[in-house]
Amino acid sequence: LFEFDITLSNLCNLACRMCNIGSSHQLGKDVEAMRANGTYEQFQEVSAHAMPYVKGVIYDKESNEVIDWLMNNTHQITMLKASGGEPFYDRRVVKVLEKYVEDGTAENTTLKFHTNATQFTPELVNLLNNFKEQGHTFSIDGTQKTYNYIRHNSNWGDLNDSLDYYLSRCKNIKHQYFNMVLSGINVLNAADYIEWICIKCKLFEVPDWYIHFSEIYPSGRGTSIKNIPIELLEESLDRIIEVVDSGIATVADSNTVHATIRGKEYKAWYRFNIHNLVGQIQNAINNHNGDYNKFKKELVILDTVRNQSYKD
């Protein structure tokens, strides 16, 4: 045994729209507010029961068998993976990292965390630099106002500051992955998102990076891309094609067809999963639901308890 993949709790600093209480305790505030104003059942209906009610923090213990064993066996576990919640927001995860440094075993250990990339302070970055290498996945779902709207409690400027500090100060980055959960809220922002990541990673000379696009879960929720007008889905494809044709995300030529968009074969290898992204959009066009009322209801119910507005 040399690898551990841990989730210690649902403690998180954000309350993202595509998430659930099992992965962020902050969403419990939204659920309580919806229950208080009588819209919770309606939200559950239009979101395909995306946010089942759970009270409090899950696994909120200072210590458990996993932590205790790991703290005494840092010499054995040379690849540590973690998710949450937000692992860097959970003090217990940070304590584990500090124990690695204290034991002198960090220099032989690789870290692979799934994180929202908002917690990179000078103290944390200094701690992470003690490890052999890092290859995290940054879960970010858009740029500018799209990001602010989806990733509630965060701020686009603060995210960039945190991310820039990590990319500029960490000297052991092996590779860098990004993940966007594709929804009707951000599908038109996907091209800008790709461009932003490519520019940033080139600026900071990140050795290897890649962007993945996950499907929203549950697939039947109101904010699915199947519920926005087909002309907007076609527009999102136009924007993606423009980015692809610009060459900014191209890595190398290939004999393999990585995607077919409107009959044209794209054989280059890209810094993002073009087949996955275009496939989801084309599938939404081919199997269009067009339930615009359901889409809007899911937005507005959360808007009401968050003092947000989709119109922004």
Side-chain angles (χ1 to χ4, degrees):
L1 180 68
F2 69 93
E3 177 182 318
F4 247 34
D5 192 342
I6 58 175
T7 300
L8 297 182
S9 74
N10 64 339
L11 285 168
C12 189
N13 58 313
L14 304 185
C16 304
R17 282 183 175 256
M18 69 292 167
C19 198
N20 59 73
I21 299 178
S23 296
S24 173
H25 79 290
Q26 300 282 357
L27 286 164
K29 301 171 185 176
D30 294 317
V31 170
E32 294 287 3
M34 288 188 286
R35 282 161 58 94
N37 70 12
T39 59
Y40 175 65
E41 294 302 328
Q42 189 179 22
F43 179 84
Q44 283 291 82
E45 181 181 350
V46 296
S47 69
H49 300 276
M51 210 176 290
Y53 178 63
V54 180
K55 191 170 184 178
V57 179
I58 303 173
Y59 312 126
D60 186 21
K61 297 179 179 178
E62 184 62 29
S63 184
N64 60 36
E65 289 180 342
V66 173
I67 300 174
D68 292 343
W69 187 90
L70 187 55
M71 294 286 273
N72 292 315
N73 291 274
T74 62
H75 61 289
Q76 292 194 58
I77 303 304
T78 56
M79 181 174 290
L80 184 62
K81 300 181 178 181
S83 56
E86 166 52 43
F88 291 125
Y89 183 73
D90 192 330
R91 182 60 194 165
R92 292 164 298 178
V93 175
V94 177
K95 283 183 177 179
V96 169
L97 298 180
E98 290 172 341
K99 187 63 162 59
Y100 266 92
V101 175
E102 180 185 325
D103 291 350
T105 51
E107 61 186 15
N108 299 316
T109 304
T110 297
L111 302 178
K112 294 187 177 183
F113 284 17
H114 200 109
T115 168
N116 60 35
T118 63
Q119 301 295 299
F120 294 121
T121 62
E123 294 78 16
L124 179 59
V125 167
N126 288 338
L127 179 64
L128 295 174
N129 267 328
N130 288 281
F131 286 81
K132 179 181 178 181
E133 62 184 41
Q134 302 180 73
H136 304 308
T137 297
F138 289 165
S139 185
I140 302 170
D141 294 286
T143 65
Q144 306 289 342
K145 290 183 178 180
T146 303
Y147 172 83
N148 290 344
Y149 183 71
I150 294 174
R151 298 228 145 206
H152 191 48
N153 294 338
S154 190
N155 174 274
W156 176 244
D158 292 343
L159 168 72
N160 272 275
D161 289 345
S162 175
L163 189 55
D164 289 356
Y165 198 87
Y166 172 81
L167 294 176
S168 64
R169 300 301 179 93
C170 280
K171 307 305 179 185
N172 53 358
I173 300 172
K174 179 71 173 180
H175 54 252
Q176 184 58 62
Y177 299 142
F178 296 85
N179 186 78
M180 170 191 272
V181 178
L182 197 66
S183 72
I185 306 172
N186 62 14
V187 66
L188 283 162
N189 186 237
D192 286 344
Y193 176 80
I194 294 167
E195 192 172 41
W196 166 70
I197 291 173
C198 289
I199 292 172
K200 188 173 289 292
C201 287
K202 288 179 180 180
L203 174 66
F204 290 108
E205 299 180 343
V206 179
D208 188 24
W209 76 93
Y210 193 65
I211 310 167
H212 183 72
F213 295 86
S214 297
E215 296 183 43
I216 197 167
Y217 181 84
S219 60
R221 64 188 299 170
T223 47
S224 164
I225 58 175
K226 293 180 180 180
N227 286 328
I228 67 170
I230 288 179
E231 56 265 31
L232 294 184
L233 293 170
E234 293 285 3
E235 169 66 20
S236 70
L237 279 180
D238 289 341
R239 297 181 184 186
I240 291 163
I241 291 171
E242 187 177 341
V243 169
V244 170
D245 290 344
S246 74
I248 192 172
T250 306
V251 178
D253 292 330
S254 167
N255 292 323
T256 303
V257 176
H258 289 286
T260 302
I261 309 175
R262 297 184 181 139
K264 180 180 177 181
E265 293 182 343
Y266 288 82
K267 293 185 177 182
W269 193 84
Y270 302 96
R271 289 289 185 186
F272 68 99
N273 193 331
I274 185 173
H275 175 76
N276 174 275
L277 173 59
V278 171
Q280 288 189 61
I281 296 171
Q282 192 61 55
N283 180 59
I285 292 172
N286 297 341
N287 301 281
H288 192 243
N289 290 338
D291 196 339
Y292 311 139
N293 188 50
K294 184 178 181 182
F295 177 60
K296 185 177 179 180
K297 276 186 177 179
E298 183 176 334
L299 297 182
V300 171
I301 292 172
L302 263 187
D303 279 354
T304 301
V305 299
R306 292 181 167 188
N307 195 28
Q308 287 184 302
S309 174
Y310 69 90
K311 296 178 182 180
D312 294 333

